[in-house]
Amino acid sequence: MLKKIIYKGLGIAYLGVSLTACVTPSAVERTENRMVPASYNNSQDTTNTGTVGWKSYFADPYLAALIDTALQHNQELNITLQEIEISRNEVRVRKGEYLPSVGLRAGAGVDKVARYTNIGAMEATTEIKPEKEMPEPLQDFLIGAYATWEVDVWHKLRNSKKAAISRYLASVEGRNFMVTNLIAEIADSYYELLSLDCQLAIIKQNIELQDNALKIVKVQKEAARVTELAVRRFEAQLLHTQRLQYDIQQKITETENRINFLTGSYPQPVRRDVAAFEQLVPETINAGIPSQLLANRPDIKQAELELAAAKLDVKAAKAMFYPSVGITAGIGYQAFNPIFLLKPESLLYTLAGDLAAPLINRNAIKASYYSANAKQLQAVFNYERTILNAYIEVVNQVSKLDNLEKSYNLKSREVEALTQSVTISKDLFASARADYMEVLLTQREALESKFELIETRKEQMSALVNVYRALGGGWQ
């Protein structure tokens, strides 16, 4: 008998699938392109700086302490951790939908039926025992267990659970990518702070030199060797340099507070070695090969997992066109008097199966299916874009490091030449063989060139940070 019921159920299911599957709408499919160039610059060396831990890459103990503090107290990172927890709970929800739902039920009630109705008339003529009529009003007591289960024939629930797992793993990779960016932002701001300290020190040195030059010009003016115009020009240059001092001090304050914000701290001085900037030497970077980006970059792995989730969503949405098979069961005791509740005669049970398939109004299901497919195509394009962006970032930063090294070497020679020119111009001016304008112009050019040299070094350190981030370093 049971076999006949099963065969009939399978026959109905097959008929339902035949009616619905033949009209399942088609969708545009696109396979993602995972191909990347074989190398960055014709090198097949697989040594990759991106696999180095951040504590080894950033040797400055003050910088390491700032990064460590940020990884514990950065608010945005902590917000992302809660998003990961939300994704983990979504996995539990999907897993719960896949498993049977079991519950307990208990209840009590009272029912008074009108005598002149079919039920009332039957109760009036029904005896529980000889010469013992049905009680009126009729009480009702129930205790039992029930279960419902949607049989996942077409893997709709299973694919939804797998999609939730992929999104959870994608959120973890998103957190790793945020860690990479956070470390890079702190390191970049730290090196900017050191460069500002160095610029401030140069400004103070120039203020002292220009103040001495102003005093000398005033003495020469009293000796009628120069005019009041020369005195005013030297004085104006000194005031200009003093103004630059306060501009840099403001930038230092803002940069310190940017670091404080990233570390989750209120404004306070940032501990650092002020003299460390002059000893900074850019390290050699090993970019490895482009295919390593697929494993090292958290944003690429995140896009890949989101793509996998989107594909599973399409399968789950497609399964909505097929019939759903459900099973419900229950067992318990029911009686009108508590003393009869646990007697064998009060036992009740139920077992039922149902098959439901959308046949007429399927617009909502079609819309969900088309939306899932469109999101899948979005995920494909996003994955390809992420890979392309990662490759270009590495190429740009490696090229920038090379060009900045050449620029720094030339700028160093320029600073050396202008520094010597300042001394020469002062000597010539003192012997009346040079105009004061030449001295002023040479001093300004020397100051600007020193600033540019510091800025170039800062850009070198920034490029080192960015190439490390572009290679996927920092989250390990």
Side-chain angles (χ1 to χ4, degrees):
M1 182 67 182
L2 181 60
K3 288 184 177 180
K4 290 183 178 180
I5 295 174
I6 293 175
Y7 289 151
K8 286 182 180 179
L10 291 174
I12 296 172
Y14 179 77
L15 178 61
V17 171
S18 300
L19 292 172
T20 56
C22 61
V23 292
T24 301
S26 60
V28 179
E29 295 184 358
R30 176 184 170 88
T31 303
E32 65 277 9
N33 181 14
R34 299 173 178 266
M35 298 298 295
V36 292
S39 65
Y40 296 109
N41 52 5
N42 299 323
S43 172
Q44 295 299 319
D45 185 6
T46 58
T47 305
N48 196 312
T49 303
T51 59
V52 178
W54 66 264
K55 290 185 178 179
S56 300
Y57 192 78
F58 299 109
D60 190 318
Y62 295 110
L63 175 56
L66 290 172
I67 294 174
D68 192 55
T69 302
L71 293 179
Q72 299 178 42
H73 301 292
N74 180 264
Q75 285 89 348
E76 190 172 356
L77 186 58
N78 288 328
I79 291 172
T80 303
L81 292 177
Q82 298 309 309
E83 292 176 353
I84 293 176
E85 185 63 26
I86 293 171
S87 298
R88 184 186 292 118
N89 291 328
E90 184 66 22
V91 173
R92 294 173 182 169
V93 171
R94 298 300 179 185
K95 186 177 181 180
E97 293 176 349
Y98 176 67
L99 299 174
S101 175
V102 180
L104 297 175
R105 180 181 296 165
V110 63
D111 187 20
K112 170 65 174 69
V113 181
R115 177 59 58 91
Y116 299 108
T117 61
N118 58 342
I119 297 177
M122 286 188 293
E123 289 182 353
T125 58
T126 301
E127 294 182 344
I128 302 173
K129 293 180 179 180
E131 299 182 357
K132 189 172 182 181
E133 297 180 353
M134 292 284 289
E136 187 180 8
L138 185 66
Q139 298 179 354
D140 187 24
F141 298 93
L142 170 68
I143 182 171
Y146 66 92
T148 59
W149 182 36
E150 181 178 351
V151 183
D152 194 22
V153 179
W154 321 115
H155 292 182
K156 175 183 66 177
L157 301 178
R158 189 174 305 174
N159 287 328
S160 296
K161 184 188 73 172
K162 290 180 179 179
I165 293 174
S166 294
R167 288 196 170 89
Y168 162 68
L169 297 175
S171 66
V172 174
E173 295 299 337
R175 179 260 179 193
N176 293 338
F177 188 56
M178 180 172 290
V179 167
T180 296
N181 288 330
L182 178 62
I183 291 174
E185 191 171 355
I186 290 176
D188 194 38
S189 298
Y190 181 78
Y191 291 132
E192 181 180 354
L193 188 59
L194 292 182
S195 69
L196 290 171
D197 289 336
C198 195
Q199 288 179 353
L200 184 61
I202 292 175
I203 284 290
K204 290 181 178 179
Q205 292 174 2
N206 275 268
I207 288 175
E208 184 177 354
L209 293 175
Q210 291 173 8
D211 185 58
N212 292 333
L214 178 60
K215 292 177 181 178
I216 294 173
V217 171
K218 287 181 178 179
V219 171
Q220 290 179 337
K221 190 249 181 190
E222 293 176 357
R225 294 182 57 186
V226 296
T227 64
E228 181 67 18
L229 179 60
V231 175
R232 294 304 179 188
R233 292 301 299 265
F234 272 89
E235 184 180 8
Q237 186 182 54
L238 175 60
L239 294 172
H240 173 75
T241 307
Q242 288 174 335
R243 184 188 62 79
L244 291 177
Q245 175 183 356
Y246 298 108
D247 290 344
I248 294 176
Q249 286 177 347
Q250 177 61 28
K251 290 180 181 179
I252 289 175
T253 300
E254 292 176 358
T255 306
E256 282 185 322
N257 288 334
R258 188 192 314 146
I259 294 175
N260 286 324
F261 177 77
L262 294 174
T263 57
S265 307
Y266 280 96
Q268 59 182 342
V270 174
R271 295 184 62 191
R272 57 194 183 274
D273 185 358
V274 178
F277 189 81
E278 297 179 357
Q279 281 77 42
L280 289 176
V281 178
E283 300 179 0
T284 302
I285 291 294
N286 297 306
I289 55 178
S291 60
Q292 292 173 325
L293 291 174
L294 304 183
N296 293 344
R297 290 265 304 213
D299 57 332
I300 294 180
K301 292 192 285 185
Q302 181 185 17
E304 183 179 9
L305 289 166
E306 289 175 347
L307 174 58
K311 290 181 178 180
L312 291 168
D313 286 340
V314 172
K315 293 181 179 180
K318 189 173 184 179
M320 295 293 293
F321 291 98
Y322 303 146
S324 61
V325 180
I327 297 176
T328 59
I331 186 170
Y333 293 90
Q334 186 174 18
F336 59 80
N337 194 316
I339 63 174
F340 302 132
L341 191 60
L342 298 180
K343 289 182 175 295
E345 294 85 353
S346 299
L347 177 68
L348 62 87
Y349 60 86
T350 178
L351 178 63
D354 64 85
L355 182 70
L359 293 177
I360 300 177
N361 187 9
R362 304 195 305 168
N363 289 333
I365 299 176
K366 286 182 179 179
S368 298
Y369 178 64
Y370 288 138
S371 295
N373 187 71
K375 290 179 181 178
Q376 178 195 13
L377 294 177
Q378 272 186 333
V380 170
F381 292 128
N382 180 61
Y383 178 67
E384 294 175 347
R385 181 190 64 177
T386 305
I387 294 177
L388 178 61
N389 179 65
Y391 179 83
I392 291 176
E393 282 184 355
V394 174
V395 171
N396 286 344
Q397 295 304 322
V398 170
S399 175
K400 187 175 183 179
L401 275 174
D402 182 57
N403 289 324
L404 283 173
E405 182 180 3
K406 297 174 182 176
S407 176
Y408 186 84
N409 293 334
L410 293 174
K411 182 60 67 174
S412 297
R413 294 167 58 187
E414 179 185 345
V415 169
E416 183 180 358
L418 287 172
T419 301
Q420 295 174 354
S421 298
V422 171
T423 303
I424 295 171
S425 65
K426 287 180 179 179
D427 293 339
L428 292 174
F429 178 69
S431 60
R433 288 186 293 170
D435 186 75
Y436 68 88
M437 288 299 298
E438 293 179 289
V439 178
L440 293 173
L441 182 60
T442 305
Q443 287 180 345
R444 176 164 294 187
E445 289 177 346
L447 178 61
E448 290 176 353
S449 66
K450 289 178 181 178
F451 271 28
E452 290 173 358
L453 182 65
I454 294 172
E455 186 67 24
T456 304
R457 176 65 82 195
K458 194 265 289 185
E459 289 183 5
Q460 281 184 296
M461 301 310 298
S462 179
L464 278 176
V465 172
N466 289 332
V467 76
Y468 180 63
R469 180 190 62 80
L471 291 171
W475 61 271
Q476 295 91 340

